[in-house]
Each structure stands twice: as C-alpha cells, then as structure tokens.
Amino acid sequence: MADEQVLEARAEEAAASASVHLDPAMAEGNALTQGLEPEHASSPATMLAHSVPDTTVVFGRVIPANIYVVVFGALAILTIIEVILAEILPESVFFRTPLLVVMSLAKAVLVMLYYMHLKEDNKLFAAAIILPLLIGVVSCMFLLAVPSTGYGPGR
Amino acid sequence: MATISAPLPGIQVSEEGKLRIGDYLKWSVDHKIIGVQYAVTALFFFIIGGALAMAIRWELLTPALDVAADGTAYNQFFTMHGTVMIFLWIIPMMAGFGNYLVPLMLGAKDMAFPWLNAFAFWLIPPAGVLMILGYFAGQAQAGWTAYPPLSTMFSDGDGQTMWAIAIHLLGASSILGALNFIVTIRNMRPEGMGYFQMPLFVWAMLATSIIIVMATPFLAGGLTLLILDRVAGTAFFNPAQGGDVLLWQNVFWFYSHPAVYIMVLPGFGMLSEVLSVHARKNVFGYRAIALSSMAIALVGFTVWAHHMFTSLTPSLRIPFMVTSMIIAVPTGIKIFSWIGTIWGGKIRFNSAMLFGLGFLSMFVIGGISGVMLAAVPFDLHVHDTYFVVSHFHFVLYGGSVLAIYAGIYHWWPKVTGTLLNESMGKWHFWLTYVSFFFTFFPMHLLGMLGMPRRVAVYAPEFQTLNSIVSFASFVLGISTFILLYNMVYSLIKRKQAGPNPWRALTLEWATSSPPPAHNFHGDPVPYKNPYGYGTEAAYRYLEAQEAELGKSWPNLEEEPARALKPSSSPAGD
Amino acid sequence: MTEVSLEKSHGHSAADAHAKHEALRVENFKLGWWLYLASEVVLFTVLIATFVVFRIDHPEVVKEVHEKAGVLLVALNTFILLTSSWAMVMGLREIQRGNVSGLVRWIGLTAVMGTIFLLLQWVEYNTLGAEGITLQSGQFGMRFYAPTAFHGVHVLIGVIWAVWVMWRARNGKYSSTNYLGVEVFGLYWHFVDVVWIVLFTLIYLV
Ligand code: HEM
Ligand SMILES: [Cu+2]
C-alpha cells in the first residue's frame, strides 16, 4: 500500500540520517575513546565517534598518508601553479582567465569535499551550498550582460 | 514515538498552564509565545502603516498640497508606509503564523532552534524603533525601493542610513527565522508524515524559507554597499566617480522579486488550509499545490528585471517578459486547484472562509494585472503610474492581508481558546471587501490615464477618481478596527472554542486550545491525509479525538459521509 | 489494518530516545549551519560581483594595480590561510579520536595563522593606501576593499571563535562523542578559506 511505502521511506530516511556517522570502517580508534564520557558510554551515541584512517585511496591507489595532508598538498601545489601561470601567461592568452578560475574552483571543491566533509556527509548539505552558488553565478552573468555603468563612455 | 525534542528550558507556565500577558513581554523560547509576539508586533506596525496610508489618501483627496507640509514630507509618508507595511507588517506576520503553526502541524514540541527563534524575533522591535526614530534625523524619503541617487545624493538626513540599518536587521531576522523553518520541517516531522503528507501551509513555509535564505542576502549585500556609500565615502552607485547606478536596481530586485513570494506564499498556504477545512473537502491537486510553491520559489529568481523594463538594455526585455509570464503558470495552477477544492463542497460561510474567498477573487485580479505589467509594451506605458500601485495592492492587500485575516479568524480559537464574534467578522469582511475594491480598483484607471505614483500634487482632471479612492480608503481604514475590537471583545467575553471547533484534521487541532507548553498531550498521531474530509474514516478520527480531548464549540453535528470513499489514500496520491 | 489510532506506539527505551535526540541535534545544527553558509555565499557573491564586473569593463585599471602591488604578499597570505584550514581539520580529527590536547594545539595553530593573515592583510592595505588606493579613491579602491575587508572581518570573527573553542576544549567540553562545536566552527573556518580561494584568484590573479 502506498502509505506503507511512505512509512518505509520515512524510516529509511531517518535511518540514513542517523547513520551518517556510523560507517563501521571508520569506527576503529573508538577504543581510544572508551570511557571518556561515562554518561554516553552506555548509549549508542558512543558509536557516533569516528576517526579517519591514516591511509588514503586516490584513483584506486593507496597513499600512505592521511587524506587531509594529501589534500593540503594538492591545494598548495595548485596554488603555486596558479600563481606561476598568472605571472607568465600574457593577458592576451584566451584561456588564461578560464584556466585560473577553473583551478580556483577545483581548490574550493577540494576543501568542501574533504575538509568540510561533503563527501561523506549528508548530500542535502551539498545541495544547500550549490543552489545559492548557481543563483549567484547566474546573477553575476546577468550583471555582466547589462551595460550597468549606463550607456556612456567607458563601456 | 515521533519527534524527540529537548525539554524546553526556561518556560515558566503556571499550574493551570495559563499564560499571562507578562509572558508575552519577555524573552521566551516557546514557539507559541514567539508566534504571538511576532503577530502582535506586526499588528502594531500595521496600524502605523495604516495611519500613514490614511495620511497619503487624505493628501490625495484634492489635487493641491494640503496635509503634507511639502513634497518631502509626502515622500516620507509613502516611504515609511511602504517599508513598514512590507518589512514590519506582512513579513513578520507571516513569520508569526509560521512560528505558531509549523511545529504544531508537524506534531513537534518546538522549532529546531528555540533560542535562535527568539533571537530572530527580538531583532524586529529594535529595528522598527530605529526606523521610526529616523523621523527625528530626517526621515528616509527615497521610497521603499531606495533607488540611488535618491537614496544617496538626494537624501541628506541620517534617516536614510537608519532606514538601511533597520532593513539590514530585519533581513537578518528573516534569514535566521527561515533556516530554522527549513531545519524544523526537514528533520522534525513525525514518523508517518513524509513530505507529501505535510499540510500545505508547511509546504508553503518551506518554499518561503528557501527563498528567504537564498534571496535576502542579496538585499543585505546591496544595503551594505548603500551604507558604505552613505557613510564611508565610496561611490558604488555614483557613475560620476566610477560606480554604477543600475547595480542597486539589480541587486534590490534580485531580492525583492523573490520577496513578493515571501509575502504571498504563506498566504497561499493558509488559504489551502482554510478552503479545505471549511469546504469540508479534500484539497484538489495536493501535489500540484505543493510543488507549484517550489516551482515559484525557483522561477522567482529569474524574473527580477521586469521591474526594470525602462532602465534595461532593450535586448533583455523579451527574455524577462517570457520568464515573468512563465511564473504566472504555477500561480494559475494553484488558483484552479483552489477552485477545484471548493467546487461542490459543503461550504461554511464563516468569516475565515469569506476572507479566503475574498483572497481568491481579489488575488486573481492582482495576478492578471501582473501579467499585463509583464508585457513590455504595456509596462512601458504604465510604469511608475498608479496602475502599478493598484497592481501591488491587489496582490499585497487583496492577497497577503486578506489571507492574514482569514488566518486570524481560522486560528484565533486555537491560539486563544476563545471564539471571535461571527457577526462582527462578517461586518468586517463585507466592509473591507467592498471598500478595498473601491480603494484600489479605480487606481488602475488613474494609472492608465497617466497619473504618476509618488506625487502629492496631481492634475485636476484626476480629482473625481481620487476622491472616490480616498473615501473608500477611509472606510477601509475604519473597517480594520472592527477586527481589533472583535479581538479584544472575544478575549473579554471568553466564549470557549474547545480543541477543534472547525473539526479540522491537521495536527494543530489535535490538542487543547491554547495548547499546553509541550504542545500535545502525549504524541499526536497524524491522520493520513490532512485533508481527508467528508469520509467515514475522518469522521471516526475526529470522534476519537473528541472523546480524548473533549467537546468543541460549535459542536457541529456533522454527518459521516455515507459513501465510503477510498479514504485511506494519503494526500499525495 | 486500523485506519485510525490515537494510541502511542511503545518500545522506545530512554537511552534509545537519548541517542536519537543527540543525533537529531547534530543533524539540526549542521543543516542549519550549512544553510547559514549558503546565505553567506550569496552575500559574498554580491560583493565579489561588483569587482568582477569592473574587472571586465576596465581590465587596464586592474592590471595597473596588479603590477604595482605584485602578488607575492597575497600568495603568502593564501598559503597561510590554507595552512590554517588544514590545521583546523587536523584538530577536528584529534578530537574525533578523543585527544583534547591535540585539538587545542591544532586549533591554536589555526588561530595563529588567522592572526598572521590579518596582520599581513593590514600591511597590504597600508602599502596600497600609500599608493593612493583607498576606499574613497573610487573605481578600483572601493570594489577591492569591500569584499576583501568583509572577508577579513570573517577571519577576525573566526580567530575569536577559535580561541573560544580552545577555551572550551580546555574545560573539557568536547570529547570523541561530542565535538559538534568543533565541527561547526570547522565548517565556518573552511568556508572562510573557500571564499578566500575564490577571492584570491578573481581579485589578485585574473
Ligand atoms: C488602507 C490600506 C492602504 C492604502 C489606502 C494604501 C495606499 C497607498 C498609496 C496611495 C500608495 C502610493 C503612494 C504614492 O505613490 O504616492 C501606496 C504605496 C505603497 N503601499 Fe499602500 N496602501 C494601503 C495598504 C498597504 C498594504 C497592506 C501594503 C503592503 C503589504 C502596502 C504597500 C505599499 C507599498 C510597498 C507602496 C509603495 C511605496 C513606495 O512607493 O515606495 N500598502 N499605498
Ligand atoms: Cu517582480
């Protein structure tokens, strides 16, 4: 029956939101924490704790460092490349601006995915941040399209 | 079962659970108290805004300058009138309804962030006071749209700066309130209530809140620049020093077009509730109504430049005309769904329903004149004339305000536990309805004849129509006091309403009136379809509810529907 | 199947309810905070857009300033902010493992980096001011200072918040099961970092 399905869906949703932190692969390291907070120790809330393993899988290869360090490295390298490109590429090269913008967006995405945990957290959070970005970008494009300084000189 | 929420800290309810007036004057985190605080504050500002409207109309009674000392004084009148009505009356009032009703309709004990909720409310009174104090510093006079250079070079008084700061505060309040609604609606629904079992008012608040979170910061950004221009010597809006004057118009309307939906969508939600309950019929097209709110919320971001047809690059006019017309479609879907809802219903013509029907009829006129304005060739003629004034009063007064009235008559028994006097309600309705029409309809004609808006002195040939408008508006002003009197009267008379006087199915009625501090006695069980009226099952549900909570006035002897409809289908299907 | 029931369903123990309540609280806070950040995105968009539009209309003015000011100082500042963001997430990781002193150390680094960022930004403003580029100098100045200073204010708030988080951590307010406060601060700080990443490219590089 339709309403049973709805109930089920709702239950699943509840379970999903509750289990955000319950990834068993991440639960190692809990041993360290047992008993720190006695009033929580007995409750399933203890399971909320998770920590990040010290190896990282990137493109199927295991990298022996933790993901945060890897991401930091990537950010740093991207920034250096960006600065160098900005300095050496002459203004006239057509892909200069798009390239730089894409690189900075890549960095922003890296931070959001890994540092802000959008990768494993609720997808709704991602939606919440993408929607205003879209609206913002669209409205920027519009501002660019209008001769906003009026129709006089300088345009 | 259902939602678990924290025991509410800091609420002191006396033994009998009765709230005293003092409880409403201080900081409280109970959403019901906050809801009432919003509503009372908003009503207070409605009276101020209304008094200013009377001043405007008195001034316009004759072509000459008679009430306002000079043009500037008149500019201040309509600027304050518009700003107060929008930012201090409609938006807070809708937030008030939302605060009171959303947690109750979801069977929750409170909003997701009670403290934040209180904080958002308490930003409003200081902002209102700040705005009004501007009177002593050279009141704002650039209209509610505050276009530069009117709001920069031609407003020397500090009032305009205070105005901007006040709007900033109100915007912040509105954003904080909205994200609270979104989180509450998403996370605190009871078990068994999916998105498509939510009452339509909750859907409307969800759509409204999404708009608020995405759109209000545009205004905040614009105001920041405006304030910088006014106090820090920048020139963002001054082309002479390399700024651009259209930037404000763009940013302002990025916000303010979506904002018209902020003002009217909650009204739509209330209308869906009121029509269905009092027509004793299932809502027609539940999904269509729910999803069209979302469609409006999104498409609403793509139409703003229809306010700028006269200042826009001509090549962009057609695209914005097209989007503006597209957005009329989801609104039309709603209108037809509402007509379908009342069609063939067992309508009770009480005050709430009358105002609901009043909304329906007047909003259609406002909607049609809106589509007319979206047509570029027509708009170029009537832009900045009384046609526009007429249009937005049909949607704001005929839409939002009549919806608020309907909502007040509908939920007053829940909030106070007492009934409003019906015959006074009917007087209120008919006086308002007729005088509203004669106040605002002739403005269409004035506009098409070429009378500009925002003028204190006009050509003598407009005298007749303006006098009609002014006299009607005085009646309209007076009719409002019937409602205020009715409220006071009902609080003194205390004719008990009981838990569910309208025999409605949504959860806010499944508790005593007014609800106890924790909202429900135990965990309420939502009926599958919040609008499943006229079925045997709904009748039994209400009977069981009455057995549990006690009888209600007017104790309607309602017949169980004989034909056993497939009543168990949830609203969404 | 019963159509109607006003009965409560049974079978939830108190501990169960508590855990669920806790999970709900976490979910609520995070969603609410993300929505707040969403609204900040829009606010920053307005400010940055004023610059971007100007950049496209008057590339020559922007280029001239870039040549005068050079990119070294801000590049350094970008690194500092990136590092602070990394320190932030390491701090979160420590508290997830229950290591409070680790948390304090990393967040301390975050706060220090934030402070250095602000100092360098101040230096930068002073040099630009000496070149005659001020908030009131029209054209470039206002469009440059408004977004960057607004971002700076966010960093400042972040630094204060970081100190507060450290203070609370010292008082044992966080543990491996209860680190929502750290997480929410982290979201804020990374957000400020993301804004800078975009600002840096759009204002200083492009
Ligand atoms: C008794 C009821 C009302 C009357 C008689 C009335 C009358 C007027 C008039 C004549 C104007 C035009 C002033 C001018 O352009 O010279 C005006 C402007 C305006 N009104 Fe009303 N009004 C009433 C209620 C409302 C309500 C309930 C709202 C909003 C919810 C509202 C919102 C506005 C706004 C936004 C403006 C534009 C102000 C501006 O030009 O900046 N009014 N009103
Ligand atoms: Cu519009």
Side-chain angles (χ1 to χ4, degrees):
Chain A
M1 273 214 50
D3 41 351
E4 275 158 13
Q5 275 165 19
V6 172
L7 274 176
E8 239 169 66
R10 172 76 190 130
E12 261 165 41
E13 192 184 309
S17 58
S19 68
V20 168
H21 298 275
L22 290 180
D23 190 347
M26 294 185 157
E28 39 168 278
N30 262 347
L32 293 172
T33 73
Q34 290 297 333
L36 263 181
E37 227 26 14
E39 77 269 29
H40 284 281
S42 59
S43 76
T46 322
M47 305 266 286
L48 291 178
H50 69 84
S51 78
V52 187
D54 262 346
T55 53
T56 301
V57 183
V58 176
F59 298 125
R61 281 176 50 203
V62 179
I63 297 174
N66 94 44
I67 182 74
Y68 300 142
V69 181
V70 174
V71 170
F72 179 64
L75 291 173
I77 293 168
L78 276 171
T79 309
I80 293 173
I81 298 179
E82 233 188 335
V83 173
I84 292 176
L85 281 181
E87 289 295 305
I88 60 170
L89 283 182
E91 203 81 9
S92 52
V93 180
F94 74 96
F95 57 81
R96 183 178 181 272
T97 307
L99 186 65
L100 291 176
V101 170
V102 166
M103 286 176 78
S104 86
L105 286 184
K107 290 195 294 179
V109 168
L110 274 180
V111 172
M112 294 205 277
L113 280 183
Y114 291 97
Y115 284 4
M116 298 172 90
H117 304 285
L118 275 188
K119 197 154 171 284
E120 58 263 29
D121 229 337
N122 199 326
K123 292 292 168 276
L124 189 67
F125 301 164
I129 213 78
I130 288 170
L131 191 60
L133 274 177
L134 283 182
I135 292 173
V137 168
V138 168
S139 47
C140 266
M141 308 261 261
F142 176 79
L143 284 179
L144 294 176
V146 204
S148 41
T149 20
Y151 300 89
R155 182 68 201 200
Chain B
M1 151 189 202
T3 334
I4 309 110
S5 50
L8 303 174
I11 295 187
Q12 308 294 320
V13 183
S14 48
E15 279 303 282
E16 333 83 82
K18 250 175 103 181
L19 289 161
R20 319 228 156 262
I21 290 186
D23 294 327
Y24 291 97
L25 296 178
K26 45 182 200 235
W27 176 274
S28 162
V29 295
D30 181 342
H31 75 98
K32 299 185 291 303
I33 294 182
I34 296 172
V36 174
Q37 287 172 330
Y38 265 112
V40 173
T41 314
L43 271 169
F44 170 76
F45 284 112
F46 183 39
I47 295 171
I48 294 189
L52 285 161
M54 296 301 106
I56 293 175
R57 280 324 313 181
W58 196 356
E59 171 59 62
L60 296 179
L61 200 53
T62 66
L65 198 63
D66 25 47
V67 176
D70 50 17
T72 303
Y74 182 78
N75 292 351
Q76 296 171 342
F77 283 173
F78 70 71
T79 301
M80 277 298 117
H81 163 71
T83 317
V84 166
M85 286 294 194
I86 286 181
F87 292 105
L88 288 166
W89 153 241
I90 303 252
I91 295 182
M93 190 66 189
M94 295 304 187
F97 273 107
N99 260 300
Y100 201 96
L101 294 173
V102 166
L104 282 172
M105 284 180 166
L106 295 180
K109 296 197 169 69
D110 206 312
M111 300 279 283
F113 309 114
W115 188 91
L116 188 70
N117 201 14
F119 180 73
F121 166 73
W122 284 102
L123 285 176
I124 292 180
V129 169
L130 184 65
M131 193 182 292
I132 288 170
L133 282 184
Y135 180 77
F136 301 103
Q139 188 58 286
Q141 45 172 302
W144 84 283
T145 48
Y147 278 11
L150 292 179
S151 56
T152 50
M153 296 155 96
F154 296 102
S155 304
D156 334 301
D158 287 330
Q160 189 70 40
T161 312
M162 292 161 79
W163 178 93
I165 295 172
I167 303 285
H168 232 323
L169 288 174
L170 294 169
S173 151
S174 162
I175 293 177
L176 297 179
L179 58 90
N180 207 346
F181 281 123
I182 297 179
V183 176
T184 307
I185 293 169
R186 138 112 199 151
N187 286 352
M188 301 182 57
R189 273 167 292 128
E191 278 170 41
M193 189 190 279
Y195 283 112
F196 286 103
Q197 279 80 42
M198 295 192 311
L200 285 167
F201 178 70
V202 179
W203 266 104
M205 285 311 294
L206 180 61
T208 309
S209 305
I210 293 176
I211 304 180
I212 292 180
V213 170
M214 304 295 156
T216 313
F218 278 114
L219 181 67
L223 286 168
T224 308
L225 301 182
L226 184 67
I227 294 173
L228 283 177
D229 264 16
R230 290 187 58 83
V231 303
T234 56
F236 285 104
F237 302 125
N238 182 1
Q241 294 173 41
D244 63 51
V245 74
L246 278 195
L247 178 67
W248 171 265
Q249 296 189 16
N250 273 311
V251 173
F252 180 80
W253 290 112
F254 283 159
Y255 164 73
S256 284
H257 186 83
V260 306
Y261 297 109
I262 296 174
M263 290 180 255
V264 84
L265 279 179
F268 286 174
M270 291 195 258
L271 189 68
S272 306
E273 305 292 331
V274 168
L275 291 185
S276 171
V277 171
H278 296 295
R280 313 307 299 157
K281 242 189 104 223
N282 200 347
V283 153
F284 180 87
Y286 173 95
R287 259 171 212 256
I289 296 184
L291 294 178
S292 61
S293 298
M294 296 314 242
I296 287 178
L298 289 182
V299 184
F301 280 98
T302 64
V303 304
W304 76 90
H306 63 212
H307 297 275
M308 302 161 60
F309 280 146
T310 51
S311 49
L312 197 66
T313 323
S315 58
L316 283 171
R317 284 175 181 161
I318 299 298
F320 278 98
M321 170 170 143
V322 171
T323 52
S324 304
M325 296 208 168
I326 288 175
I327 205 169
V329 175
T331 316
I333 291 177
K334 281 180 193 288
I335 304 267
F336 285 111
S337 299
W338 288 324
I339 295 176
T341 302
I342 52 178
W343 195 264
K346 271 173 78 179
I347 299 181
R348 303 175 188 142
F349 285 101
N350 53 17
S351 317
M353 186 63 171
L354 284 175
F355 274 109
L357 296 173
F359 173 121
L360 201 52
S361 50
M362 291 300 108
F363 189 81
V364 168
I365 299 182
I368 290 175
S369 62
V371 176
M372 291 167 78
L373 286 170
V376 178
F378 185 75
D379 183 73
L380 294 184
H381 279 280
V382 296
H383 179 69
D384 257 341
T385 68
Y386 261 81
F387 191 90
V388 177
V389 178
S390 176
H391 156 68
F392 68 68
H393 283 91
F394 265 88
V395 288
L396 281 175
Y397 206 117
S400 309
V401 178
L402 293 193
I404 289 171
Y405 285 160
I408 290 178
Y409 283 99
H410 188 72
W411 282 291
W412 179 268
K414 178 50 61 185
V415 176
T416 65
T418 65
L419 285 165
L420 285 169
N421 180 301
E422 266 301 315
S423 50
M424 264 194 264
K426 294 207 169 99
W427 272 100
H428 176 212
F429 172 73
W430 285 111
L431 273 180
T432 301
Y433 191 66
V434 174
S435 61
F436 163 79
F437 189 83
F438 283 101
T439 305
F440 293 110
F441 196 82
M443 288 184 188
H444 286 123
L445 307 178
L446 281 170
M448 292 203 276
L449 292 172
M451 176 167 163
R453 75 193 266 208
R454 297 178 172 172
V455 292
V457 176
Y458 53 87
E461 67 257 34
F462 302 130
Q463 160 93 65
T464 323
L465 279 171
N466 266 306
S467 304
I468 296 176
V469 167
S470 283
F471 282 121
S473 80
F474 299 148
V475 180
L476 183 56
I478 292 167
S479 75
T480 312
F481 286 93
I482 304 179
L483 174 64
L484 298 178
Y485 177 77
N486 199 349
M487 289 172 160
V488 176
Y489 176 84
S490 100
L491 286 179
I492 293 171
K493 272 273 174 185
R494 303 210 72 80
K495 188 163 162 196
Q496 293 305 315
N500 192 355
W502 314 131
R503 299 183 72 85
L505 289 170
T506 39
L507 277 182
E508 80 271 26
W509 302 99
T511 180
S512 42
S513 308
H518 291 261
N519 286 355
F520 295 98
H521 313 273
D523 289 320
V525 177
Y527 183 69
K528 291 182 180 42
N529 174 355
Y531 305 106
Y533 299 107
T535 60
E536 174 90 34
Y539 184 80
R540 299 274 166 255
Y541 176 87
L542 289 171
E543 243 181 12
Q545 190 186 71
E546 191 169 279
E548 183 148 310
L549 297 170
K551 279 213 178 300
S552 305
W553 193 94
N555 195 11
L556 300 167
E557 293 306 336
E558 210 172 29
E559 313 247 310
R562 289 274 169 263
L564 283 175
K565 295 187 196 147
S567 54
S568 59
S569 63
D573 299 313
Chain C
M1 184 184 139
T2 21
E3 293 274 1
V4 180
S5 128
L6 288 169
E7 287 291 301
K8 301 180 200 177
S9 65
H10 304 281
H12 282 298
S13 70
D16 222 17
H18 181 76
K20 249 180 134 179
H21 174 230
E22 209 29 52
L24 181 68
R25 196 176 73 94
V26 170
E27 276 297 290
N28 281 354
F29 259 92
K30 291 214 297 199
L31 180 56
W33 193 246
W34 273 102
L35 289 169
Y36 172 75
L37 294 182
S39 74
E40 286 255 31
V41 167
V42 174
L43 189 48
F44 271 108
T45 304
V46 175
L47 297 181
I48 297 176
T50 60
F51 186 90
V52 170
V53 173
F54 178 72
R55 163 68 183 69
I56 290 184
D57 287 353
H58 303 276
E60 68 296 338
V61 182
V62 178
K63 191 150 186 267
E64 196 189 311
V65 179
H66 279 175
E67 270 159 17
K68 257 197 252 169
V71 75
L72 228 67
L73 186 64
V74 265
L76 179 64
N77 234 356
T78 305
F79 269 103
I80 288 171
L81 211 56
L82 286 177
T83 317
S84 77
S85 215
W86 173 60
M88 174 65 237
V89 80
M90 293 304 276
L92 178 64
R93 176 183 144 96
E94 289 304 327
I95 192 64
Q96 284 170 342
R97 301 169 146 191
N99 180 356
V100 174
S101 62
L103 168 71
V104 173
R105 253 179 284 123
W106 281 111
I107 302 261
L109 184 59
T110 306
V112 170
M113 287 295 174
T115 315
I116 297 179
F117 176 89
L118 286 173
L119 288 176
L120 287 184
Q121 196 171 39
W122 190 63
V123 171
E124 184 208 358
Y125 281 5
N126 275 338
T127 19
L128 283 178
E131 303 267 6
I133 300 169
T134 65
L135 193 59
Q136 285 93 355
S137 65
Q139 297 255 353
F140 182 88
M142 60 190 180
R143 294 187 175 88
F144 165 79
Y145 284 110
T148 51
F150 194 62
H151 174 266
V153 170
H154 278 75
V155 176
L156 181 64
I157 293 172
V159 169
I160 297 169
W161 191 348
V163 172
W164 190 63
V165 169
M166 281 159 70
W167 186 70
R168 278 177 54 99
R170 287 206 159 280
N171 288 332
K173 294 281 202 268
Y174 304 119
S175 69
S176 63
T177 51
N178 173 14
Y179 50 81
L180 181 62
V182 184
E183 205 178 351
V184 164
F185 168 61
L187 288 177
Y188 175 80
W189 190 264
H190 299 309
F191 170 76
V192 172
D193 189 30
V194 167
V195 171
W196 182 258
I197 287 174
V198 176
L199 262 184
F200 173 62
T201 302
L202 289 182
I203 295 190
Y204 294 95
L205 292 187
V206 162

